Amino acid sequence: MGRPPCCDKANVKKGPWTPEEDAKLLAYTSTHGTGNWTNVPQRAGLKRCGKSCRLRYTNYLRPNLKHENFTQEEEDLIVTLHAMLGSRWSLIANQLPGRTDNDVKNYWNTKLSKKLRQRGIDPITHRPIADLMHSIGALAIRPPQPAHSPNGGSSSYLPAPAALPLVHEVAYHAAGILQPLPPPPPQQQQAVIARVDVDATASPAADHGQQLKWSDFLADDAAAAASEAQQVLGQYHHEAGGSSVLAAGSSSAGGGRACGDGGGGDDGAAAFIDAILDCDKETGVDQLIAELLADPAYYAGSSSSSSELGWGC
DNA sequence: AAGGCGGTCAACCGCCGGGAT
DNA sequence: CATCCCGGCGGTTGACCGCCT
C-alpha cells in the first residue's frame, strides 16, 4: 500500500552542499523542472535525500532569489505581517518576492526580534515587555476563570477576560473602520495577548456584525477568494468613509508593500493577506500600523492612537 | 597570537495535511 | 476505507566567521 519510500536513508549524504552538487542539481532542475523531488537525487546523480534537494533548491539555488540584505521596507513589512500572522514564515515570505521562509525566519530570529526587544517590545506579542510583566503579575493573583468565549470559541486568545487589541486591530479602530472599542476595565487592560492569529475574533471585522474569517479565503478559486476578500473589506472601507482619524498624506516607510508574483500568491491564504494589505493601503491603515510600531509611546501604553480610542491609561 | 564568545545562516529534524495507492 | 508517503512548514542545530579580550 502507499508509495515507495522516498530514499534510502542509510545511503544519503548530509551536511553542506559542495559546488559540484549544486551544479548537478541546477543542471537537472533547469532541464527537467522541479516536480517529484523523490526522483531528483537519483536522476541528477546526487547521493542526497529528495527533501534535502528540495530545500537546497528552494532556499539557495532557485532563480530570482535575493541574496542581498533586507531593505527597510522589507523589514517593516515583516514586522507588520508578524504582528498579524505570528510565525507563519511561508506566508510572510510570500509577500516578499525573492525571499524564502528560511531567510525571513533567520532574519527575524537573529535581527528583528532582538531589535524589538531592545526597544522594550516583546517580539511574540508585539506588546511592551513592561505590560507583559504587569500581566504576569496580574495573572498570578487572579483566580482561575471559567472557560468562556463570547463568540462561541476561538483558540486565538487565552481565556483571558479581554485581551488588549492587536496592533492591527488598534489601527482599524483608530481608522474608524470598526466601532470604537469600549474602554476596558482597568484590570482588563493588563490582559496578555498570548498569540496573534488571523481568526474570526482576531480579525478587524470581529465585532462589526460581519466576520472576516481566515477560512473564507480558502476557496478553490483564488481570484474569487481575493475578490470576495476585497468585497468584504471594501465594505468596511466604504462604511468608514471620511474617517477623520486618518492622517492624510503622510508617507511613512511602512507603506511599501512588496507585491510581486511571489510564486505562492495564488492560493487562498495569500489572497487573504493580499486583501488585508490592499485594504490597509486603501484606508491608510498600513501607515497607521507603521506609525504604531514605530511609536515608543504606543508601546508605553500612552500613544495618541490609544488615547483617541478612549482606553488611555 | 590565541582562545573565548556571540552572531549568522545553511541545513537538518520532526510534525502535519493531503494525496496516492 | 486504510495505509503510508510526499511536500510543506516551523523549530532547532551546528559549522563557520569575525570581534574582543
Side-chain angles (χ1 to χ4, degrees):
Chain A
M1 285 298 229
R3 299 179 165 195
C6 98
C7 56
D8 179 9
K9 294 192 189 308
N11 195 28
V12 294
K13 188 188 168 196
K14 288 184 180 179
W17 280 64
T18 65
E20 289 76 22
E21 288 177 311
D22 281 346
K24 283 182 181 178
L25 183 56
L26 258 184
Y28 178 83
T29 53
S30 61
T31 54
H32 297 89
T34 59
N36 196 357
W37 285 106
T38 310
N39 295 333
V40 168
Q42 189 185 4
R43 294 185 179 174
L46 292 162
K47 290 186 175 177
R48 293 273 182 175
C49 178
K51 207 170 179 177
S52 178
C53 293
R54 183 178 60 83
L55 217 59
R56 180 63 179 174
Y57 181 80
T58 55
N59 287 340
Y60 195 78
L61 298 175
R62 185 157 50 100
N64 305 323
L65 280 183
K66 283 187 197 170
H67 294 289
E68 59 265 31
N69 291 337
F70 281 77
T71 65
Q72 185 61 49
E73 284 75 19
E74 288 175 315
E75 200 172 288
D76 292 339
L77 187 58
I78 292 170
V79 173
T80 301
L81 289 173
H82 189 272
M84 291 166 58
L85 302 168
S87 55
R88 289 180 168 86
W89 304 118
S90 61
L91 291 180
I92 294 173
N94 277 346
Q95 301 300 319
L96 296 160
R99 304 294 188 186
T100 69
D101 54 351
N102 216 29
D103 284 340
V104 175
K105 181 172 56 182
N106 281 332
Y107 190 64
W108 175 269
N109 287 333
T110 58
K111 302 262 182 65
L112 287 180
S113 65
K114 263 176 222 164
K115 238 185 213 181
L116 290 179
R117 232 176 266 120
Q118 281 168 359
R119 288 167 55 189
I121 301 161
D122 176 52
I124 298 172
T125 62
H126 293 260
R127 296 296 304 166
I129 291 170
D131 269 13
L132 297 179
M133 291 300 115
H134 276 114
S135 302
I136 290 166
L139 285 172
I141 58 171
R142 183 181 298 139
Q145 309 263 339
H148 171 251
S149 175
N151 290 348
S154 162
S155 61
S156 296
Y157 295 95
L158 280 179
L164 282 171
L166 305 176
V167 171
H168 214 72
E169 207 168 351
V170 170
Y172 270 90
H173 280 283
I177 292 173
L178 298 178
Q179 304 287 336
L181 290 173
Q187 75 271 19
Q188 291 186 356
Q189 291 183 15
Q190 294 181 351
V192 180
I193 297 176
R195 288 176 50 208
V196 177
D197 209 340
V198 177
D199 205 344
T201 56
S203 82
D207 40 359
H208 198 265
Q210 191 174 0
Q211 291 195 343
L212 182 62
K213 294 179 185 172
W214 172 265
S215 55
D216 290 344
F217 294 81
L218 300 178
D220 290 339
D221 183 355
S227 164
E228 183 184 352
Q230 289 288 5
Q231 198 177 348
V232 173
L233 288 166
Q235 188 179 342
Y236 305 131
H237 184 201
H238 175 72
E239 291 176 7
S243 166
S244 60
V245 183
L246 285 177
S250 74
S251 59
S252 69
R257 177 185 159 227
C259 61
D261 54 2
D266 56 350
D267 58 61
F272 178 83
I273 297 170
D274 283 344
I276 291 282
L277 291 175
D278 284 346
C279 184
D280 285 358
K281 211 169 185 179
E282 287 175 18
T283 59
V285 165
D286 60 337
Q287 293 180 8
L288 211 48
I289 290 172
E291 287 164 16
L292 285 170
L293 290 170
D295 180 11
Y298 167 73
Y299 289 103
S302 60
S303 77
S304 57
S305 301
S306 62
S307 61
E308 283 168 8
L309 294 170
W311 60 47
C313 304

